[in-house]
Every structure is written in C-alpha cells, then in structure tokens.
C-alpha cells in the first residue's frame, strides 16, 4: 500500500470523526482506498426491478456501499453473498448496500441471479447502459464506492473485498454508530 493511500486513509478517518486505533479499516478491507478529499457523488440514474428510476441522492443521510457488478464478472459474483451478509448485519436506516448490475439482461434475470447466488436480500438495481461505470471513471469490475451520509465519495475499492469478514462488519458497525 502506498504512503499516499495510507496518509489519505488517516486524514479521511480524522475528517469523519472516527479517529483512533478502532477506526483503522481491517485487513479484510485492504482494497478500500480512502480519499483525503471527499468528492460529491454525481447524479446518475439507475432503475429498480419495476423500471422506476433512482439516484444516490435518495440514500443521503446514511452510509452507502455502492457496488457495480455484472453477471459475467466472476469476482463480482463471488462477492455478492458477502455484500448480502454485510447488509444483513447492519441497520438499513444507517447503512445501505446498493448493488447495481451494469451488465445486460432484464430486472427479472437480475433478481433470479441474486436469488441463486445467496444474495436475495439485496435490491434489484440495473444500469444497462453502464452510465454509473462511465461516470465513476473506472473500467473494471467489481467496483465499490463508500459514500458518507452527506453524499460524498470517501473511499473506493477497485477489487473484491472480504465484506462479511467479522472485522469488516465490526468496522462498519462502528462507522455507523455515530
């Protein structure tokens, strides 16, 4: 891990009032790189299983872990159950796992896919034109973005993480406790 990433993580932790040894992200979240300067989240819409359009603005007031994935992405599929267990471990009023399928297919296909991959408690969100992926400036999947309650990007993981590791869950519980 580069010194800049470590410094950025330290600054971000102090900025969010989580200072101290307990706030350090666990090894399971090593791919989660904190940004020392939170960035506003762009307004990009995605659809739910009924076709209704949503933006991340609707989640303001709680932490959000936005995860962009596709059915053809093996690392994405592998981490879906972990994301599901993370969401089940945290109060939805304070933390939302928002998984958005950026691949092709229908909402019904996505719902079936989530059910058959132990992630049925995750909402069905689609972005079939990959606008979120283009907007966030990354080409690889999976991509996860941690958004603070003010609607700012504070960290990002461009690789899979062990989201349901006991230490990771404890970290997010502490994060949302304030």
């Amino acid at each position: 891990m580069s010194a800049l990433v470590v410094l950025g993580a330290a600054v971000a932790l102090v900025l969010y009032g989580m200072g101290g040894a307990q706030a350090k992200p666990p090894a399971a979240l090593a791919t989660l790189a904190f940004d020392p300067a939170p960035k506003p989240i762009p307004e990009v819409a995605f659809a739910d299983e009924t076709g209704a359009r949503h933006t991340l603005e609707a989640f303001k007031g709680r932490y959000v872990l936005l995860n962009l994935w596709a059915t053809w992405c093996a690392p994405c599929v592998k981490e879906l159950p972990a994301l599901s267990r993370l969401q089940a471990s945290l109060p939805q009023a304070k933390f939302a796992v928002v998984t958005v399928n950026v691949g092709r297919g229908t909402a019904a296909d996505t719902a079936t896919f989530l059910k058959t991959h132990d992630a049925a408690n995750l909402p069905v969100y689609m972005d079939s034109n990959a606008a979120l992926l283009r907007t966030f400036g990354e080409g690889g999947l999976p991509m996860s973005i941690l958004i603070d309650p003010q609607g700012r990007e504070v960290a990002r993981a461009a690789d899979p993480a062990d989201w349901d590791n006991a230490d990771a869950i404890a970290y997010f519980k502490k994060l949302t406790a304030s």
Side-chain angles (χ1 to χ4, degrees), residues 112-137:
T112 299
F113 192 87
L114 290 171
K115 285 177 189 165
T116 59
H117 288 86
D118 297 322
N121 72 316
L122 294 174
V124 175
Y125 291 125
M126 302 283 303
D127 181 24
S128 57
N129 66 2
L132 283 169
L133 196 58
R134 285 191 311 278
T135 298
F136 284 103

Side-chain angles (χ1 to χ4, degrees), residues 96-113:
V97 175
V98 177
T99 53
V100 181
N101 180 357
V102 297
R104 306 250 182 238
T106 66
D109 294 337
T110 299
T112 299
F113 192 87

Side-chain angles (χ1 to χ4, degrees), residues 40-52:
I41 294 297
E43 286 195 36
V44 179
F46 48 95
D48 67 17
E49 61 188 315
T50 68

Side-chain angles (χ1 to χ4, degrees), residues 18 21-29 85-91 95 162-178:
M18 304 180 307
Q22 297 172 347
K24 183 180 182 222
L29 299 177
R85 288 186 289 273
L86 174 65
Q87 181 61 83
S89 301
L90 296 166
F95 190 91
D162 192 4
W163 301 110
D164 64 339
N165 172 282
D167 291 337
I169 290 172
Y171 172 77
F172 286 116
K173 282 183 177 180
K174 190 161 283 290
L175 180 72
T176 59
S178 53

